[in-house]
Amino acid sequence: MQLIASPPNTFLGRLESLADTARLRLLRLLEHHELAVADLCDVIQLPQSTVSRHLKILADQQWLRSRREATAHLYRMTLDELDPQARGLWVLAREQMEAWPTAAQDDLRLARLLRDKQQESQAFFANAAGQWDKLRAELYGGSFSIAAGLAVIPQGFVVADLGCGTGQLAGQLAPYVRRVIAVDNSPAMLAAARERTGEFTNVELLQGDLNALPIESGTCDAAMIVLSLTYVAEPLGVLREMARILKAGGQGVVVDLLPHARDDFRRQYGQLHMGFEPEQITSLMAEVGMTGGRVVALPPEQGTKGPALFLATAGKGAHP
């Protein structure tokens, strides 16, 4: 592997920043996941002061990017954003770590952490299914569903409704498209969706994880994620699955919360994120191979109590 030359101080600084087992473990986790300091402490079993010190060293050497969400700082390493020299060094370091027993332990603790986070939102929906329609209307109104539906209205479409909840959007789409595949991981929500969409023979309801959709690759003309992304621990994984099930030229649509500062709201409704910046969504869509990302803010409806929403769209190219 050929590396592009850089100033000695830059090269030596990067080498020094990698010369620590804990920092290598942190980078390995952050290459594929956006995590807070508390999450990282949980996974690698080191105190916060130690983890924060290592993160500062890595950030100073431009291995990481961070953003603030409520009171937490979230960290991530994006391989494509590293310059060729840094990318080459990391690839070599990562290859050496694959057989480390410590890395395998990190993976197990991370899987448990993500599973526990996901269960927080699942517990909310198990209790809220009976009143979710009323609650959602009070918080966000109803026009966002119509706006999302209009984005994929051509006849003959096969549309995936990911995180379908009680089937409100699936029922709205069913008269206008060839087939709706609606997925949710909550049995209570699916039971309500089955009752709502029972009159439509072209609606298929499936129970499944949004990070591992029970839908074949390249089978959908459009895929929609409406008010579900804030409830998943790994938004990037969900968007990657959305891109996977789309046909070449298919369209992805996301409706969710713009950033807000209401942590009490987030906790009350079982959400895992405080909304998303438009640039964050378009960046994530681009990372999973979707192009032409566009985000439109949706004006809050009169009388709604929840944060403002956005509508994001992007297409899947022939060669993602």
Side-chain angles (χ1 to χ4, degrees):
M1 179 180 297
Q2 182 178 5
L3 301 180
I4 297 176
S6 65
N9 288 344
T10 301
F11 178 67
L12 292 174
R14 282 174 171 158
L15 282 178
E16 184 177 358
S17 67
L18 293 179
D20 184 277
T21 302
R23 290 198 286 273
L24 289 173
R25 291 167 65 197
L26 288 170
L27 285 178
R28 182 175 176 273
L29 294 169
L30 294 171
E31 181 180 0
H32 299 291
H33 306 276
E34 186 180 51
L35 299 169
V37 175
D39 298 330
L40 293 166
C41 293
D42 188 1
V43 173
I44 71 171
Q45 301 286 284
L46 288 175
Q48 181 173 338
S49 59
T50 302
V51 170
S52 295
R53 175 170 53 83
H54 286 311
L55 289 172
K56 183 178 186 309
I57 293 171
L58 292 170
D60 288 345
Q61 290 298 321
Q62 299 183 337
W63 289 107
L64 302 175
R65 65 180 180 182
S66 67
R67 66 182 182 89
R68 190 175 184 84
E69 186 173 275
T71 58
H73 278 93
L74 302 178
Y75 292 86
R76 177 109 189 276
M77 177 176 77
T78 303
L79 196 61
D80 291 343
E81 293 182 358
L82 299 178
D83 62 53
Q85 182 202 73
R87 190 159 54 246
L89 286 173
W90 170 243
V91 169
L92 290 172
R94 183 182 58 196
E95 288 175 353
Q96 297 303 311
M97 299 177 65
E98 291 307 314
W100 289 6
T102 308
Q105 292 291 325
D106 289 346
D107 290 343
L108 290 171
R109 282 191 290 269
L110 177 64
R112 185 262 307 156
L113 173 73
L114 296 176
R115 184 172 61 250
D116 289 348
K117 284 189 172 187
Q118 195 62 65
Q119 287 173 350
E120 293 178 24
S121 60
Q122 290 175 348
F124 168 76
F125 281 118
N127 295 323
Q131 56 181 342
W132 177 238
D133 287 346
K134 179 176 182 242
L135 190 60
R136 190 166 79 161
E138 289 177 352
L139 294 173
Y140 311 118
S143 64
F144 63 85
S145 292
I146 298 171
L150 291 175
V152 290
I153 204 63
Q155 292 183 351
F157 264 24
V158 175
V159 182
D161 180 8
L162 308 179
C164 66
T166 60
Q168 182 178 17
L169 179 57
Q172 290 173 337
L173 287 169
Y176 305 104
V177 299
R178 179 162 63 89
R179 184 181 174 207
V180 179
I181 307 173
V183 181
D184 204 287
N185 62 4
S186 167
M189 288 290 186
L190 286 173
R194 193 168 294 110
E195 181 175 351
R196 165 173 267 151
T197 62
E199 65 182 288
F200 300 112
T201 59
N202 63 336
V203 175
E204 181 179 6
L205 297 172
L206 300 174
Q207 183 173 353
D209 189 338
L210 298 188
N211 280 286
L213 293 171
I215 303 175
E216 291 183 10
S217 299
T219 56
C220 298
D221 298 286
M224 311 182 67
I225 306 173
V226 178
L227 292 183
S228 293
L229 213 56
T230 51
Y231 290 99
V232 298
E234 293 276 40
L236 180 64
V238 174
L239 293 175
R240 183 175 288 117
E241 277 293 90
M242 179 176 74
R244 178 186 65 79
I245 66 173
L246 285 173
K247 300 175 181 177
Q251 193 79 1
V253 178
V254 178
V255 176
D256 221 299
L257 279 64
L258 287 165
H260 62 90
R262 297 168 59 182
D263 193 51
D264 56 337
F265 176 90
R266 181 194 65 79
R267 291 195 304 271
Q268 182 179 358
Y269 296 106
Q271 296 171 344
L272 302 180
H273 303 279
M274 302 274 287
F276 301 92
E277 294 283 356
E279 297 80 6
Q280 181 187 3
I281 291 297
T282 54
S283 175
L284 291 174
M285 286 178 146
E287 191 168 343
V288 302
M290 303 187 72
T291 59
R294 188 169 73 97
V295 178
V296 177
L298 301 179
E301 293 186 34
Q302 185 175 6
T304 56
K305 301 177 182 179
L309 306 175
F310 67 84
L311 168 65
T313 58
K316 180 177 178 180
H319 302 287

